């Protein structure tokens, strides 16, 4: 008796094609945070249709569903939930819940109408996809959850032995895309400062969304980007500040897990190339965190307390290089400051967690130095320098929501104390006199004089190029008021007081 020949189909994704590995089988494999190559190398291409990673239930599931609808020959699904990140993010579980429990009409966290998956983990599917198509997909696909790579491979091979027909014809649905308005601004070199990580994060998002350049990414999409962005966090508390309600894309429980990935070495886990902690503690055969602690105990003024996470092998095309590359620790005037550089920084989804992890590392180093020596240092600023600071297009809507709800509040709470100092303006001997004073002590360090606001702001701008924007605008308005007072031969100019015409003349 002749055997049957299984029909083969080439998987043809409509979305994120460069992020998937394709085959001619009938099983889609979702690997979560596990590298897709870790499973692909154990399978033949005819055993699977596509293998891809899934990080976010609110951003990734909708694209995955669209691709499945466009490839009706895919009749099986294997979801791998093998890492801590998978369990924290819950993307794989949310996808399985779509097939288990379905969906209902609702609204996203930005107020957009959407299909909401019936799950403990929040997940969305685009409302443009017809409910009938989603129900048909749910009934057509058999699924299995795997907790290890070997288990996932076993499921895929068992499905490959089955011969089933496509459940229908390819389906496509329109996708709504909104191109943001970009204002002109500086392309290279930005500085943003905030007291807490949460406050600084909102300010960075606002800067990127306002003037960031829109560029294609290597991940089948777009991002809005600033080049060389320095963020300075001055007063983050030891146990971290989480706003109420929490608008950050990370929770306290997630940060507890994440901090260990930076501070602690990690045993090799199949499918996970590295953690930051592994790169710092053992990758190069040395514990770099311990080296930095010992270096500063021996020489508290050392400028050599440097840690590197970049390996020259990271230049290989098939590698997944770390985004965090270098860390410097310096002690200046009894303050321990930490500076970290990122080659690539997903600001919306990752920066806040990155910053909290680095702050925990900074605190650990400070505490160890205090415990082992007589240097009881204060916590200085945390500085991150992101060569590419970007927000992916699938987060633009959420970023705009954060800006609308949080940025006005942060602007109202701004502390206008300028590290460049303060200025006292007066009129004497038919001239405008401006005294430049140091912050805190009020010592006069310079004096400017002239008859016009233009003369004076040019002098001050040349001497004080680091003036904060708000302070500079304030000075401009006060100098203009002083110039008008002088030109009208008014009796008194009062700084910070409303301008009033006097009936008397000199």
């Amino acid at each position: 008796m002749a055997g049957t020949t299984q029909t083969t189909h080439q998987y043809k994704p409509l979305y994120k094609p460069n992020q998937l590995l394709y085959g001619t089988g009938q099983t889609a494999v979702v690997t979560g945070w596990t590298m897709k190559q870790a499973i692909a190398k154990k399978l033949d291409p005819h055993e699977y249709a596509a293998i891809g990673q899934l990080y976010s239930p609110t951003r990734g599931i909708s694209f995955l569903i669209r691709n499945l609808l466009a490839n009706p020959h895919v009749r099986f699904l294997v979801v791998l939930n093998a890492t801590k990140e998978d369990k924290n993010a819950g993307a794989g579980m949310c996808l399985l819940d779509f097939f288990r429990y379905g969906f209902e009409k609702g609204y996203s966290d930005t107020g957009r109408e959407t299909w909401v998956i019936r799950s403990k983990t929040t997940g969305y599917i685009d409302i443009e996809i017809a409910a009938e198509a989603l129900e048909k997909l749910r009934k057509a696909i058999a699924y299995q959850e795997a907790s290890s790579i070997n288990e996932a491979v076993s499921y895929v091979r068992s499905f490959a032995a089955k011969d089933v027909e496509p459940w229908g014809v390819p389906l496509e649905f329109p996708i709504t895309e909104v191109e943001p308005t970009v204002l002109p601004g500086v392309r290279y070199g930005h500085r943003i400062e905030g007291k807490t990580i949460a406050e600084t994060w909102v300010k960075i998002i606002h800067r990127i969304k306002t003037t960031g350049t829109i560029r294609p990414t290597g991940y089948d999409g777009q991002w809005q980007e600033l080049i060389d962005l320095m963020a300075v966090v001055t007063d983050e508390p030891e146990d971290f500040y989480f706003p109420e309600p929490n608008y950050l894309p990370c929770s306290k429980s997630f940060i507890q897990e994440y901090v260990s990935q930076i501070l602690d070495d990690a045993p090799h886990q199949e499918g996970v190339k590295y953690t930051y902690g592994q790169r710092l503690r053992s990758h190069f055969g040395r514990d770099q965190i311990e080296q930095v602690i010992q270096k500063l105990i021996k020489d508290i003024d050392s400028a050599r307390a440097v840690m590197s996470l970049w390996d020259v092998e990271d230049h290989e095309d098939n590698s997944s290089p770390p985004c965090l590359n270098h860390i410097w620790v310096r002690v200046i005037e009894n303050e321990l400051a930490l500076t970290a550089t990122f080659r690539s920084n997903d600001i919306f989804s990752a920066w806040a967690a990155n910053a909290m992890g680095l702050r925990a590392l900074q605190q650990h180093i400070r505490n160890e130095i205090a415990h082992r020596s007589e240097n009881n240092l204060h916590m200085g600023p945390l500085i991150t320098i992101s060569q590419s600071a970007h927000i992916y297009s699938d987060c633009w809507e959420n970023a705009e929501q954060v800006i609308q709800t949080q940025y006005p509040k942060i602007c109202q709470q701004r502390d206008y104390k300028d590290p460049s100092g303060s200025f006292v303006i007066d009129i004497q001997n038919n001239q405008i006199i401006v005294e430049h004073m140091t912050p805190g002590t009020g010592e006069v360090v310079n004096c400017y004089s002239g008859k016009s606001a233009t003369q004076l702001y040019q002098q001050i701008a040349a001497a004080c190029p680091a003036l904060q924007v708000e302070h500079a605008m304030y000075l401009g308005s006060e100098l203009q008021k002083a110039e008008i007072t002088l030109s009208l031969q008014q009796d008194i100019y009062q700084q910070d007081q409303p301008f009033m015409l006097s009936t008397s003349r000199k």
Side-chain angles (χ1 to χ4, degrees):
M1 182 176 177
T4 59
T5 301
Q6 194 175 69
T7 304
T8 61
H9 300 267
Q10 181 65 48
Y11 191 79
K12 298 178 181 178
L14 297 177
Y15 303 96
K16 309 293 182 182
N18 295 324
Q19 303 315 301
L20 304 173
L21 301 176
Y22 314 136
T24 57
Q26 52 194 357
T27 301
V29 186
V30 175
T31 68
W33 287 73
T34 301
M35 294 174 64
K36 53 185 178 287
Q37 294 86 354
I39 290 183
K41 68 183 181 182
K42 299 190 176 195
L43 294 168
D44 292 324
H46 73 269
E47 292 179 308
Y48 61 85
I51 303 176
Q53 294 173 256
L54 178 65
Y55 303 109
S56 168
T58 57
R59 296 160 50 194
I61 289 180
S62 201
F63 288 118
L64 189 153
I65 294 296
R66 285 177 176 275
N67 281 338
L68 289 177
L69 289 170
N71 290 271
H73 68 279
V74 177
R75 298 300 303 275
F76 305 101
L77 174 69
V78 175
V79 177
L80 175 61
N81 288 319
T83 68
K84 289 182 179 180
E85 289 84 359
D86 291 319
K87 293 173 176 59
N88 282 325
M93 192 61 64
C94 187
L95 175 62
L96 288 168
D97 286 343
F98 164 74
F99 287 98
R100 292 180 183 127
Y101 310 122
F103 57 94
E104 59 193 30
K105 186 176 286 187
Y107 294 91
S108 71
D109 51 1
T110 62
R112 175 173 50 86
E113 191 173 37
T114 187
W115 299 119
V116 180
I117 296 171
R118 295 190 180 108
S119 175
K120 291 181 180 179
T121 301
T122 303
Y124 305 132
I125 300 172
D126 294 338
I127 197 71
E128 293 88 353
I129 302 174
E132 296 81 4
L134 294 176
E135 290 294 357
K136 193 171 184 178
L137 184 69
R138 290 183 60 231
K139 294 174 183 177
I141 290 184
Y143 55 87
Q144 284 285 357
E145 180 184 6
S147 58
S148 70
I149 291 176
N150 287 337
E151 186 180 13
V153 168
S154 177
Y155 284 136
V156 173
R157 286 181 174 152
S158 68
F159 287 145
K162 301 178 184 294
D163 186 11
V164 293
E165 294 295 318
W167 55 261
V169 298
L171 298 175
E172 297 183 29
F173 295 90
I175 187 167
T176 302
E177 295 183 359
V178 178
E179 195 82 354
T181 301
V182 180
L183 300 178
V186 175
R187 176 170 292 178
Y188 302 99
H190 305 261
R191 185 186 187 278
I192 294 175
E193 181 176 314
K195 290 185 176 180
T196 65
I197 289 168
E199 175 190 334
T200 310
W201 180 71
V202 174
K203 290 179 178 179
I204 297 172
I205 288 172
H206 176 264
R207 182 76 63 88
I208 294 174
K209 288 299 299 154
T210 303
T211 64
T213 303
I214 297 173
R215 293 188 178 91
T217 74
Y219 303 98
D220 301 313
Q222 291 181 308
W223 66 26
Q224 199 165 357
E225 177 189 45
L226 295 176
I227 303 296
D228 297 333
L229 182 142
M230 180 171 69
V232 182
V233 181
T234 59
D235 297 287
E236 182 68 26
E238 184 174 343
D239 57 350
F240 303 118
Y241 168 71
F242 283 88
E244 291 291 344
N246 183 21
Y247 53 77
L248 293 172
C250 54
S251 63
K252 288 185 178 180
S253 60
F254 176 83
I255 292 302
Q256 289 173 351
E257 294 276 357
Y258 184 76
V259 164
S260 69
Q261 293 181 31
I262 290 184
L263 290 180
D264 303 329
D265 198 358
H268 176 72
Q269 182 177 351
E270 189 178 13
V272 179
K273 187 172 182 183
Y274 61 84
T275 65
Y276 289 150
Q278 185 267 333
R279 285 274 170 132
L280 290 169
R281 292 288 192 181
S282 65
H283 178 79
F284 298 101
R286 294 186 172 123
D287 186 336
Q288 297 184 79
I289 297 176
E290 181 62 25
Q291 282 184 314
V292 161
I293 293 169
Q294 292 182 15
K295 171 70 70 176
L296 291 173
I297 289 174
K298 184 177 180 180
D299 179 8
I300 201 67
D301 297 314
S302 176
R304 298 183 181 183
V306 181
M307 293 171 272
S308 177
L309 291 83
W310 184 265
D311 191 319
V312 292
E313 293 185 0
D314 290 326
H315 285 290
E316 299 297 324
D317 291 338
N318 61 351
S319 71
S320 178
C323 295
L324 174 62
N325 296 151
H326 300 284
I327 301 171
W328 292 271
V329 182
R330 288 292 307 274
V331 176
I332 306 294
E333 296 181 358
N334 209 46
E335 281 190 345
L336 187 140
L338 185 145
T339 301
T341 60
F342 292 82
R343 64 169 182 84
S344 179
N345 214 172
D346 178 353
I347 296 298
F348 189 85
S349 299
W351 183 85
N354 294 154
M356 290 185 185
L358 290 167
R359 187 68 169 179
L361 173 61
Q362 182 182 2
Q363 184 73 47
H364 171 75
I365 294 171
R366 192 215 74 85
N367 290 347
E368 287 298 308
I369 292 173
H371 178 69
R372 303 186 207 177
S373 72
E374 297 180 355
N375 294 301
N376 189 18
L377 306 172
H378 299 294
M379 284 288 284
L382 167 68
I383 303 112
T384 66
I385 302 172
S386 306
Q387 202 283 324
S388 171
H390 51 260
I391 301 175
Y392 287 98
S393 57
D394 51 10
C395 291
W396 288 350
E397 184 180 8
N398 295 81
E400 292 288 359
Q401 179 77 2
V402 169
I403 292 169
Q404 291 173 16
T405 58
Q406 304 304 324
Y407 189 69
K409 300 176 187 177
I410 287 173
C411 289
Q412 292 171 4
Q413 298 169 359
R414 279 181 177 172
D415 184 349
Y416 289 98
K417 292 181 181 178
D418 191 334
S420 295
S422 59
F423 298 84
V424 175
I425 304 171
D426 196 7
I427 294 179
Q428 298 175 16
N429 301 323
N430 203 33
Q431 279 197 321
I432 303 169
I433 306 297
V434 182
E435 290 184 328
H436 181 190
M437 307 169 74
T438 58
T441 60
E443 178 187 355
V444 176
V445 292
N446 211 339
C447 185
Y448 312 93
S449 62
K451 290 182 175 292
S452 72
T454 302
Q455 265 185 317
L456 286 158
Y457 79 61
Q458 287 176 342
Q459 293 178 52
I460 295 171
C464 309
L467 275 179
Q468 291 182 349
V469 172
E470 293 92 345
H471 198 179
M473 295 176 73
Y474 158 79
L475 278 174
S477 63
E478 283 295 324
L479 290 171
Q480 191 63 54
K481 191 173 75 177
E483 180 182 338
I484 294 172
T485 302
L486 185 64
S487 66
L488 295 177
Q489 298 182 344
Q490 293 290 296
D491 295 330
I492 298 175
Y493 160 80
Q494 290 184 305
Q495 189 171 346
D496 297 327
Q497 296 299 317
F499 179 79
M500 295 185 65
L501 285 172
S502 172
T503 56
S504 64
R505 296 291 185 98
K506 288 183 179 179

